[in-house]
Amino acid sequence: KFGHCLVAGIDIPPKKITRAMSEKMVKKRSTIRPFVKAINYNHLMPTRYRADLELKNLETTGDDATKFKLDEEALNDPSTRLLVKKAVKKVLETGYFAQNKRKNAKMEEGVKYFYQKLRF
């Protein structure tokens, strides 16, 4: 078909949090809705930022704990696609809560950029 790559990202970013909010409200406002799709190379825009989030080997938790790789076969089946989205959501949310626990300042800056809503 066309040259493409698999992209996982944030569809709806976390909302702003203040100190006065309760723990329940913080948890609710920190949820992330991810997306996973194949995108044409011509539609990608590189940035100088890097985020050290591991998305190659994903694992689901709960009753049906499974391990799988993020590849085209996982996106073709609708039930597997839903599991992939849940696993990506878990990785993104754990990364959001551990933003300042990065290897170096450059990675910390990249993760901070990654979780911000884009303004055009």
Side-chain angles (χ1 to χ4, degrees), residues 32-102:
I32 295 172
R33 184 185 298 168
F35 68 86
V36 179
K37 57 180 150 184
I39 295 183
N40 191 332
Y41 285 133
N42 295 333
H43 297 248
L44 292 176
M45 184 183 76
T47 65
R48 63 181 177 172
Y49 299 105
R50 291 177 48 193
D52 56 348
L53 299 169
E54 183 61 41
L55 292 174
K56 290 184 180 180
N57 296 320
L58 297 172
E59 184 177 332
T60 59
T61 58
D63 300 340
D64 54 345
T66 57
K67 291 184 180 182
F68 48 88
K69 288 190 174 190
L70 181 60
D71 56 359
E72 290 183 40
E73 295 173 7
L75 296 183
N76 290 338
D77 183 29
S79 61
T80 311
R81 187 182 184 105
L82 187 64
L83 291 174
V84 168
K85 277 187 168 183
K86 286 181 181 179
V88 168
K89 179 178 180 173
K90 181 183 170 194
V91 170
L92 292 177
E93 285 182 350
T94 55
Y96 177 70
F97 286 115
Q99 284 187 43
N100 49 355
K101 297 176 184 170
R102 299 293 169 197

